[in-house]
Amino acid sequence: MEKALSLIKISYLRSRVYLAGHVINMFGSFIFGYIGVCVWRALLGDTPKADRMATYVIVSQALLWVTMFLPKSAYLFQKVRDGTLAFMFVRPMGMFLQSFYEVSGSAVYNFIYRSIPIFLLGLLFLGTGIPAPGMILPFFISIIPAYVISFCLNYFVGIWSVKFLNFTAAQNIYYFLANLLSGSLAPADYFPDSIKSIIAFSPFASTCYIPSKIFIGEMNPFVGIPVQSCWAVILVLLSLILTRSVKKSVQIQGG
Amino acid sequence: MDEFISVRNLKKTYTVYEGKFFKRQKKEIHALKNIDFEIKKGEFLGYVGPNGAGKSTTIKILTGIMHPDSGMVTVNGFCPWQSRKEYVKNIGVVFGQKTQLWWDLPVVDTFELLISIYGVDKKTGRKRIAELTERLDLKEFINRPVRQLSLGQRMRSELGASLIHDPDILFLDEPTIGLDIVSRHGIMEFLKEINANGKTILLTTHNLKEIEELCNEILIIADGELVFKGCTEKLNNLTEIPRILKITLKPFDGTLSEDQRIIISDFRGELEMQKMQLNFRIDKSVSLAYISKIMFEHFEIEDFTIDEPEIESIVKGIFQTC
Amino acid sequence: MEIFKTLVKASLKSQAGYKFNFILDIFSSGIIFFSDFLIIAVILTNFKSLGGWTLHEVAILISIIDSGWAIYRTFGEGLERMQELLQTGRFDTLLIRPISTLKHLMIHAVQFRRLGILVQAIIVGSWGIINSGVFSLPFIILYIFLVILAGILILEINIVLAAVAFWTLKNDDLLVLTVYATKTAASYPLNIFNPFLKNILTFVIPLGTITYFPISFVLGKTDNITALLAPFLSVVLMIPVCSILWKTGLKKYTGTGS
């Protein structure tokens, strides 16, 4: 546990160095949220539903920083490039866990310095709402599987890049799916009826759609969180299997 | 008109800020205090000095990258920073630490790109590429992207790139840094050859051996001031800095024979019992081959190293003699 | 021009050398932009219009911005690497060449895989143009003009940002705020935003002048002829801004400005 904490801390501090730049970046991200809010207010007019959607969009935008915008390829491709990937195998901790703690550090940083400020800016300037008291705890709980799932998806991109030494294509395909299906601007409810429920139950929706819906009180946490947890377990198991196969190929190539 | 490059009263000061956000403190660093020198046509000048002494600043000013605070520079009739675009057509530059090649393109394409940038006509350009490929031995990797080259291959390509427009003057900033002995040797031979063919060269390096072997003139800079100007032989006489010979002995019981004791005292050596190490300070007048022979005859030797004097200690030496 | 031709030829040769990766990269760089369009398309199938604009009309706006972006990212890669060039000191190597530094940045790299963005943008645009009933020769000519102007304007904005890096040494985060965010905003009808953002997109980072205003005029949403002229005005007015900032920044770099 001590090792885990120190890995998280190092990666947190690494992010911390660029605080000034990140504040500017955070404002940029807030503008993206604001654009989404404008779109939904223009579509729904002056209705309670419009207020809820505004909140939904800002919460999603804030959550992107602990889901879709995690370090690309979970730092793995960077390590392939600078040749430090081999070091991950000589440590007494599995590659998956090491990556997980490393990425967790920047996720903690992102949550404190980007997610929370974006949400507060929304509260101050865009009149977004806060959850019903009963939904606060479920919302925070649902962030955890959302993060784990996102980590695994980024980790898959990393595994791909280690195996095929090409990162751009895998990253772009991941971005395409996550952007479209996670529901950060267009929730699953607005997709055509035939694919609506498939999308809502996809792992991508678990990273953004489910927590944001819980936040605005439009989803029963006793349905949402179990769905998320299932995906989290499945993806972690899949990650472990893939780690084993890639480890073999790296050892053969000699890192 | 034999002064090809002339530098007069060159001064450059940087302002740096220390501390964070509010309590910033202004601090002035005098990179060049008052530099004067000249280079004749066809000369091979070595420019040495410790890190941060002002070597890079001088090169940057001479190549037109940086403007000095005051002073005069004329190179082949041009002032580098006043008519940069015209001026750079007649100089070639290599930065050992910064590539000037196109990372993703094959070497030969970089050369062709440079030919169009310098407005060299195509026929002459082709001929020059063929010539440089031959003389720098680039053939085997000329169609490979630069990012795939080894450091030695890349440096040979950089040299080629700096000569593609056939400049009269070449500025080389640490071109051999990090290279293995073979690549280093190849590059030095090439430089000798082009100097013999009339190119004026200014070379900065850390490696004194290179200077001794290549250059006929040497400039030493320390703390923004020139501390030595003159020919290379003169430097050798100035700096009577001994080389340090370190010999690690094979483990033994610690008792020395009569012969061994005499040798140690004759060469003013000292024995460090704990490390089983013998240290000697060898003056320039003593042949290394001679002393090594004696040592190997009389001692059981595990390891044997010679420390050549560093630039830093030579500069210190010059200060002491002045 | 000769320089540019040599570079384009060389880059094409070297990038297309790895055919499979090249095609995969072109395709995948296109689809991430396509996902942004799909999201809007999904939303607008549930509603008639966004701020009075149909999905087809919005598609035209998106396609102009994306095409401009694709053109810029294909040829303006050097500007994107300004931060890296300054931090590693490699910017020096631009100053030892007998051409202007900006010109040199333009020929720093050509990235053909970004052309995937252009392909998807033109598909989206064609679909929008045909279905919104503005398909005509004059409109196609205007559209091509707007795409080129968008490329130039985005280039100009990035020159300003690259110049800023002479002082800050770092501009990647600023890029997110001033280019990525505004670029996204300019692909929507500006009337859905509050006046503050609308003014910024009109007068400060004038990406709106290249999309919303001229298309509004063509679609008969405004009679003001200035709307049609806005793209030309902003591209021309940006020229002195870029030139002054770049020259000042370069002076600072070479040490005469401070």
Side-chain angles (χ1 to χ4, degrees), chain B residues 14-20 23-29, chain C residues 252 258:
Chain B
Y14 300 109
T15 314
V16 291
Y17 293 95
E18 283 185 339
K20 286 179 187 170
K23 275 192 271 171
R24 289 209 308 186
Q25 273 188 341
K26 228 175 154 178
K27 198 180 158 195
E28 298 213 314
I29 293 176
Chain C
K252 151 106 175 70
S258 56

Side-chain angles (χ1 to χ4, degrees), chain C residues 3-81:
Chain C
I3 305 172
F4 198 65
K5 241 169 61 194
T6 316
L7 175 74
V8 168
K9 232 164 61 192
S11 306
L12 194 61
K13 203 173 67 188
S14 78
Q15 284 168 38
Y18 307 89
K19 266 202 192 84
F20 180 70
N21 271 336
F22 185 59
I23 292 166
L24 195 64
D25 282 354
I26 287 190
F27 175 74
S28 71
S29 74
I31 65 165
I32 61 172
F33 280 77
F34 192 57
S35 66
D36 285 336
F37 168 72
L38 274 182
I39 290 171
I40 294 301
V42 164
I43 295 173
L44 283 183
T45 50
N46 294 273
F47 300 89
K48 269 219 309 278
S49 69
L50 174 63
W53 290 60
T54 66
L55 173 60
H56 301 122
E57 292 165 353
V58 176
I60 301 175
L61 300 184
I62 293 178
S63 98
I64 292 171
I65 277 287
D66 282 1
S67 316
W69 181 249
I71 293 172
Y72 161 68
R73 283 311 298 265
T74 307
F75 299 110
E77 188 65 17
L79 285 169
E80 291 285 307
R81 298 195 191 160

Side-chain angles (χ1 to χ4, degrees), chain B residues 9-285:
Chain B
N9 307 324
L10 205 58
K11 280 183 194 160
K12 180 76 194 174
T13 307
Y14 300 109
T15 314
V16 291
Y17 293 95
E18 283 185 339
K20 286 179 187 170
F21 306 103
F22 301 110
K23 275 192 271 171
R24 289 209 308 186
Q25 273 188 341
K26 228 175 154 178
K27 198 180 158 195
E28 298 213 314
I29 293 176
H30 301 279
L32 297 178
K33 284 172 187 160
N34 201 358
I35 301 285
D36 269 300
F37 64 87
E38 54 280 321
I39 303 175
K40 296 188 187 75
K41 202 171 168 81
E43 216 162 68
F44 201 137
L45 181 89
Y47 194 42
V48 269
N51 273 331
K55 276 181 309 194
S56 292
T57 307
T58 316
I59 291 259
K60 279 184 179 183
I61 291 172
L62 285 177
T63 49
I65 292 170
M66 191 185 264
H67 301 227
D69 297 338
S70 65
M72 269 257 305
V73 174
T74 41
V75 182
N76 199 15
F78 285 99
C79 173
W81 60 89
Q82 268 166 13
S83 40
R84 185 182 71 78
K85 283 185 214 167
E86 264 311 298
Y87 167 65
V88 296
K89 279 186 184 165
N90 199 27
I91 64 168
V93 187
V94 174
F95 294 108
Q97 319 251 42
K98 306 167 197 163
T99 177
Q100 47 170 310
L101 306 168
W102 274 255
W103 202 240
D104 297 319
L105 298 185
V107 182
V108 65
D109 288 330
T110 290
F111 285 1
E112 289 199 354
L113 209 48
L114 287 171
I115 282 173
S116 23
I117 288 179
Y118 282 96
V120 178
D121 79 88
K122 276 214 161 136
K123 217 172 132 199
T124 323
R126 292 253 158 77
K127 223 176 82 193
R128 250 180 235 153
I129 293 180
E131 232 174 71
L132 287 165
T133 309
E134 167 77 35
R135 282 166 73 186
L136 281 161
D137 199 15
L138 308 176
K139 204 169 178 182
E140 110 196 60
F141 53 86
I142 197 156
N143 285 312
R144 253 192 269 156
V146 173
R147 65 186 137 81
Q148 291 176 6
L149 303 186
S150 73
L151 191 59
Q153 292 171 333
R154 214 194 75 209
M155 207 44 74
R156 268 141 70 195
S157 313
E158 301 268 356
L159 262 178
S162 73
L163 288 164
I164 203 88
H165 51 294
D166 197 26
D168 288 330
I169 313 154
L170 209 51
F171 294 96
L172 309 170
D173 193 9
E174 310 259 5
T176 54
I177 199 158
L179 289 188
D180 59 280
I181 297 173
V182 180
S183 312
R184 186 185 287 247
H185 181 76
I187 284 183
M188 283 167 64
E189 287 302 308
F190 178 74
L191 291 180
K192 260 190 229 168
E193 188 187 319
I194 58 170
N195 177 244
N197 288 339
K199 297 243 185 285
T200 309
I201 303 179
L202 192 153
L203 167 83
T204 76
T205 173
H206 261 87
N207 191 321
L208 263 193
K209 272 251 178 64
E210 275 173 19
I211 298 270
E212 270 174 68
E213 198 171 318
L214 294 172
C215 305
N216 35 41
E217 285 285 313
I218 187 166
L219 282 178
I220 300 183
I221 185 171
D223 265 334
E225 282 173 294
L226 287 183
V227 292
F228 178 83
K229 284 194 260 198
C231 62
T232 318
E233 291 81 37
K234 223 162 98 193
L235 178 77
N236 283 337
N237 307 331
L238 251 179
T239 54
E240 276 302 320
I241 296 176
R243 292 157 291 187
I244 311 273
L245 180 64
K246 286 182 183 160
I247 297 169
T248 309
L249 301 173
K250 284 193 177 145
F252 69 113
D253 60 4
T255 49
L256 296 169
S257 71
E258 185 63 26
D259 280 358
Q260 288 174 329
R261 252 180 282 145
I262 291 171
I263 290 170
I264 293 174
S265 71
D266 271 4
F267 289 101
R268 285 174 291 135
E270 53 188 57
L271 177 65
E272 278 183 66
M273 276 310 282
Q274 269 169 330
K275 288 198 241 165
M276 293 280 175
Q277 189 175 297
L278 272 169
N279 298 328
F280 296 95
R281 296 160 66 84
I282 314 286
D283 290 338
K284 285 233 154 158
S285 52

Side-chain angles (χ1 to χ4, degrees), chain A residues 26 62 110-122 140:
Chain A
M26 186 270 295
N110 282 349
F111 190 75
I112 298 172
Y113 291 100
R114 312 219 225 212
S115 301
I116 293 176
I118 288 170
F119 177 72
L120 292 178
L121 284 174
F140 279 107

